[in-house]
Amino acid sequence: MAASDEVTRGMLGDVRVLDLAEGGAGSLAAAILGDYGAEVLKVVARDPRRERSDSLPDWLVRNRSKTLVHGDTSSAADRAEIWRLADSADVIVADTEERLTAFGVDAHSLGARRLVVLTPPYLPDGAPWSGAGESAELLSAIFGLSAYQASYPGSPVDAVYPYLVQAHGVWTATCVVAALVEYRYTGLGQLLTVSGFNAATVFGDPVITRPEDEPDPDRGIGPEGLNPMYTRYEASDGEWVFVGGLGPKFSNLVIDIVGLRDLLDDPRIGGKLQRLWHIDNSRWVLKTFQERFLTRPAAEWVELLERSDVPCVQLAPREAWFRSEQMKAMDQRIALADPVLGDIHMTGAVVDAVTAPAAVSATSAATTTADARWHATPGTPATPRPAGDGGQGPLAGYRAAVSGSYVAGPYVGRLLAELGVDVVKVEPLVGDPWRMQGFSLNRGYRSIAIDLTGEEGKQALNRVLTSCDVVVDNFRLGVTKRLGMSHEDLTKDRKDIVTVSVTAYGERGPLAHKPGYDLVIQAAAGMMFAQGGDDEPVPYSVPPNDMTTGVCGTLASVLGIYHRAMTGDGQHLSTSLATTSVFLQSADLVEYADRPAGRWGGRDFPGPGPTDRFYPVKDGYVRLQTPVLEAERWRAAGIDLDNAALLQDPVAEIGRALAPFTRESAVAKLTAAGVPAVPSRRASEVATDPGLHARRLLGTFTALDGRRFVTNDRLADFTRTGVDTYFTAPGLGEHSVELLTESGATTEETETLVRSGVVIDGSPIDITYLPPYR
């Protein structure tokens, strides 16, 4: 694709993808590539749209923007045709090597010249549960996410949505696009494996990151969490309000608006703001706040809070959010004509692009393997490859700068570093207020701390930014323009620069100007109502919108890099927490005639059914998941079920039968009975698992005070362009002088900036571990 060629199929319009995946993650990754123009052929044994099962909504989302191809692994003719397609594809996606072998495809021989992508449900050598099939629920339990969720009794809680499958899919797509950049330049293939555990570490970074000797936090704190300024309250009219008073500024505003400043005078608080959400005080403080919120209707509280610019929202159901003016303005509710189902609505693409926007389409009608043909023509880069300087990763030689704070924006840089990008963290002189709580999200960066209130700082930073290929911000609308960092400002000196904005509500629509955090968006988007079901609304303790938006911002960055490599053109791209909120609920928002009911949770949600839920045992909990209960097989495995009691109350009977066992013995017996089951693990168990450290899925480092910390390590496995570095977080301004010098500043200029206080010449970070606040 030359620079002068017209781009008609989106940023990936020259990419051929053969999708052989059965599971949701690989399928979703291929669908995301298809959203951005890749030609995707999806091989299936049958068309699920003709059966109308409860899983059809998931299938529709995960297989959109594809051409369906009927293929039978037992047919020699079909296997030959599939090999023909695989041998001429750019990317081949499957769950496991066994799946490729079933189609007659050798992953390793093909990987020498193509990108072969595997998405195993747990680890590359299999899953520890019977059948080893994909399961967001079992993965969440064994990884520790379920036990991390706050509840009343402290029991593990099932996430009502399959967040991990969604995160697995979009992170895999991101890694594929990064690998495609290198592939176009070298013509060399490789095997890329993004496992379910990789996805869990990407999504669950806050759960895993901890000192080695840190005890597990008490999660029996109630679903509202600990922080009274950052939770939801019932108002006098029975409606619910979420208050986003995160950080000292907003926390103090909330206290004054609610009229509870005198709480700070209580001897249990001692004038210290953070004592309000200490576990010793949180219960009675939250009760006091709740009593105050019951004095006004929800709309009045929202008006009062918004008057002071405090992020807040009145809780709403997911359907109202999906059909809102904001989603319409963001192209997040799109109408498609499905060849089998007729008119359908579904969510839009996760990244908004200006120059080459996405074009989501319904899954095509099926063709045969013999009739399947590629129409996309593989392209040739229009720009030279950047010098790698001996770096690792498929994007070695590229540089990105990231401005912003808290979670979603900074996480983009951590993930770009995983792909080989040299990443710069741009901070104000006071630093990112979340750099201590979220230090793991900043690993892999170099930091420059600079004052942008004057022209000296703006000019110095401009030279750093225009030395970058990608500039990412997560500011509110208008801030980049005020700071001289907008796309228009940067293209004055760097015509081909790629800019990415990560916002709360997107860049257009009636809410675009508003501030927002993960939990605010959970409340607005119906996620809390869905998780709580018919009980009170439940916030999810791990920030799903924040973490996944970080991945989507990384996808935006690599899409921009690929498009520039192939055309020579820079562009502006964006994503948002609001976009992610519908992406994570996408299957439950699909609309078509006679679709099944969407997912719905409940109080301390243990799972959706008697054979698909958590059960307590002697030393904790186990999570099992099977569509059919075969009592004879359970009894043969040593689990004594009574048929009569089972018919009367299956939950009570299964609970009684499992209660005498330990987690290990219960899982062993369930596995022997053919029931997929895992122990519910705590974060400390996962963090100290020697097998996970040996695989470099987890790693450790020693802080300046000698305390050893556990974090995630490798987030994907590239057989030829992998990264070996264990990333650490930078101190505030630790690399300011180094980065200014690299951008062309003289020693005298740099010394003047430091001496005048425009730039901080900092030192390595001294980490203080801060326990969960929610």
Side-chain angles (χ1 to χ4, degrees):
M1 186 187 300
S4 60
D5 287 347
E6 182 183 1
V7 179
T8 58
R9 285 179 50 86
M11 288 177 278
L12 303 179
D14 66 323
V15 177
R16 300 172 170 181
V17 180
L18 182 63
D19 178 7
L20 303 177
E22 286 184 298
S27 299
L28 180 58
I32 292 170
L33 300 177
D35 286 347
Y36 295 96
E39 182 179 10
V40 185
L41 301 183
K42 170 73 175 187
V43 179
V44 295
R46 53 183 177 74
D47 187 340
R49 290 173 294 190
R50 303 194 180 277
E51 299 176 4
R52 300 295 187 99
S53 70
D54 287 348
S55 62
L56 180 57
D58 286 288
W59 188 92
L60 290 171
V61 170
R62 296 166 182 174
N63 290 287
R64 68 191 198 177
S65 302
K66 300 178 185 179
T67 297
L68 214 59
V69 178
H70 276 153
D72 184 353
T73 57
S74 66
S75 165
D78 279 356
R79 290 199 305 274
E81 293 291 351
I82 289 167
W83 172 254
R84 169 184 63 82
L85 295 169
D87 196 37
S88 52
D90 297 299
V91 180
I92 301 92
V93 181
D95 314 272
T96 61
E97 284 194 48
E98 290 75 17
R99 176 69 173 168
L100 290 175
T101 301
F103 282 109
V105 177
D106 183 337
H108 295 278
S109 64
L110 194 61
R113 58 188 186 280
R114 302 286 182 257
L115 294 178
V116 178
V117 182
L118 302 179
T119 58
Y122 185 65
L123 293 175
D125 55 357
W129 53 83
S130 177
E134 183 179 74
S135 171
E137 296 77 23
L138 297 179
L139 178 58
S140 181
I142 200 170
F143 182 78
L145 278 169
S146 302
Y148 188 82
Q149 172 64 30
S151 65
Y152 283 116
S155 58
V157 176
D158 227 30
V160 72
Y161 293 123
Y163 291 132
L164 290 183
V165 173
Q166 300 295 99
H168 195 177
V170 71
W171 175 234
T172 299
T174 302
C175 293
V176 171
V177 178
L180 276 167
V181 174
E182 194 270 348
Y183 170 74
R184 284 288 184 242
Y185 282 114
T186 66
L188 301 175
Q190 62 180 315
L191 184 62
L192 164 62
T193 302
V194 184
S195 70
F197 198 91
N198 289 144
T201 56
V202 167
F203 186 87
D205 178 88
V207 176
I208 285 298
T209 300
R210 54 192 290 112
E212 281 187 325
D213 57 354
E214 183 72 16
D216 288 301
D218 181 2
R219 305 311 287 157
I221 57 176
E224 66 267 43
L226 295 169
N227 191 334
M229 281 75 72
Y230 194 59
T231 189
R232 79 289 181 277
Y233 292 104
E234 187 175 9
S236 63
D237 55 357
E239 298 293 327
W240 290 78
V241 177
F242 188 86
V243 184
L246 192 61
K249 172 188 172 182
F250 287 134
S251 291
N252 279 295
L253 285 169
V254 171
I255 291 171
D256 290 333
I257 291 167
V258 178
L260 289 174
R261 174 64 58 180
D262 60 339
L263 283 182
L264 293 174
D265 298 328
D266 188 287
R268 292 169 290 184
I269 305 302
K272 296 180 179 179
L273 187 68
Q274 63 270 26
R275 290 288 299 173
L276 290 171
W277 58 85
H278 190 279
I279 196 165
D280 292 343
N281 300 315
S282 180
R283 290 297 91 200
W284 69 264
V285 173
L286 281 161
K287 182 180 178 181
T288 305
F289 269 76
Q290 177 60 85
E291 289 170 352
R292 190 59 57 92
F293 270 89
L294 284 171
T295 63
R296 293 176 183 264
E300 285 189 23
W301 283 116
V302 169
E303 182 181 358
L304 284 169
L305 292 160
E306 286 189 334
R307 201 178 295 165
S308 296
D309 207 30
V310 175
C312 63
V313 72
Q314 185 171 325
L315 273 68
R318 61 192 174 207
E319 293 81 9
W321 180 241
F322 185 45
R323 296 169 186 168
S324 68
E325 287 300 313
Q326 185 62 33
M327 292 297 102
K328 181 179 178 181
M330 295 171 63
D331 295 325
Q332 284 303 316
R333 185 172 185 266
I334 57 177
L336 301 174
D338 187 278
V340 178
L341 301 175
D343 294 337
I344 64 174
H345 286 88
M346 65 170 57
T347 56
V350 293
V351 170
D352 190 18
V354 173
T355 303
V360 176
S361 61
T363 315
S364 77
T367 186
T368 65
T369 56
D371 290 333
R373 294 288 185 274
W374 296 116
H375 299 95
T377 302
T380 301
T383 60
R385 186 184 183 190
D389 295 327
Q392 301 173 329
L395 296 181
Y398 287 93
R399 176 181 286 183
V402 181
S403 302
S405 57
Y406 291 97
V407 179
Y411 202 31
V412 174
R414 160 68 182 106
L415 299 177
L416 285 173
E418 184 73 18
L419 302 173
V421 178
D422 174 18
V423 192
V424 177
K425 184 174 180 67
V426 180
E427 302 185 72
L429 299 183
V430 295
D432 173 356
W434 210 243
R435 63 173 5 265
M436 190 62 70
Q437 183 91 43
F439 74 88
S440 183
L441 307 175
N442 293 293
R443 293 165 52 231
Y445 277 100
R446 294 189 289 164
S447 168
I448 179 171
I450 190 164
D451 181 1
L452 297 179
T453 59
E455 286 304 311
E456 301 94 334
K458 290 179 181 178
Q459 290 174 11
L461 181 61
N462 180 265
R463 292 205 293 194
V464 174
L465 296 182
T466 53
S467 72
C468 296
D469 303 283
V470 181
V471 174
V472 181
D473 77 88
N474 90 248
F475 298 134
R476 291 176 67 173
L477 289 186
V479 173
T480 56
K481 188 64 178 175
R482 176 167 56 82
L483 297 177
M485 296 169 55
S486 70
H487 185 77
E488 292 73 23
D489 293 321
L490 296 176
T491 52
K492 293 174 184 176
D493 297 306
R494 180 73 185 269
K495 298 296 182 184
D496 65 348
I497 201 162
V498 174
T499 60
V500 175
S501 288
V502 179
T503 63
Y505 290 96
E507 295 189 306
R508 56 186 185 272
L511 304 179
H513 65 286
K514 295 182 65 174
Y517 296 118
D518 177 277
L519 282 175
V520 176
I521 305 298
Q522 282 191 52
M527 300 170 86
M528 291 186 187
F529 277 149
Q531 184 65 41
D534 295 327
D535 205 86
E536 61 188 293
V538 174
Y540 197 57
S541 296
V542 173
N545 297 307
D546 270 338
M547 304 308 292
T548 311
T549 300
V551 183
C552 293
T554 313
L555 174 64
S557 302
V558 298
L559 283 168
I561 289 172
Y562 184 86
H563 182 257
R564 194 188 75 174
M566 303 306 291
T567 66
D569 298 330
Q571 66 173 308
H572 179 69
L573 307 99
S574 64
T575 192
S576 67
L577 301 178
T579 300
T580 297
S581 74
V582 290
F583 169 68
L584 290 173
Q585 302 182 92
S586 52
D588 294 82
L589 296 173
V590 173
E591 297 172 346
Y592 60 90
D594 301 321
R595 69 148 288 160
R599 296 173 177 90
W600 198 243
R603 184 183 176 94
D604 301 322
F605 188 52
T611 59
D612 189 4
R613 58 172 286 154
F614 286 98
Y615 282 98
V617 292
K618 283 173 66 175
D619 57 349
Y621 290 81
V622 295
R623 179 64 165 86
L624 59 90
Q625 186 175 59
T626 183
V628 178
L629 193 158
E630 299 177 88
E632 286 301 325
R633 294 191 66 181
W634 287 50
R635 284 192 284 269
I639 304 172
D640 183 25
L641 289 178
D642 179 87
N643 284 344
L646 198 60
L647 287 171
Q648 184 175 2
D649 189 339
V651 171
E653 176 57 12
I654 294 172
R656 180 203 63 77
L658 292 176
F661 301 115
T662 62
R663 291 182 304 170
E664 183 179 2
S665 61
V667 168
K669 291 178 184 299
L670 288 164
T671 301
V675 176
V678 296
S680 173
R681 296 202 289 182
R682 293 281 185 178
S684 60
E685 296 177 85
V686 181
T688 55
D689 185 327
L692 299 175
H693 284 269
R695 292 172 178 268
R696 300 238 7 225
L697 293 164
L698 303 178
T700 58
F701 72 95
T702 303
L704 295 182
D705 65 358
R707 200 173 189 190
R708 288 186 62 78
F709 280 77
V710 178
T711 65
N712 59 33
D713 194 356
R714 291 286 68 81
L715 304 178
D717 181 20
F718 298 85
T719 55
R720 192 172 49 76
T721 62
V723 173
D724 287 336
T725 305
Y726 180 81
F727 296 117
T728 55
L732 177 63
E734 182 181 349
H735 308 93
S736 295
V737 171
E738 178 182 302
L739 289 164
L740 289 168
T741 301
E742 290 177 4
S743 71
T746 65
T747 301
E748 182 181 356
E749 289 171 331
T750 301
E751 289 177 349
T752 299
L753 289 168
V754 173
R755 191 167 50 249
S756 63
V758 174
V759 167
I760 290 177
D761 181 12
S763 55
I765 188 171
D766 187 8
I767 294 170
T768 300
Y769 178 68
L770 300 175
Y773 65 96
R774 53 192 276 189

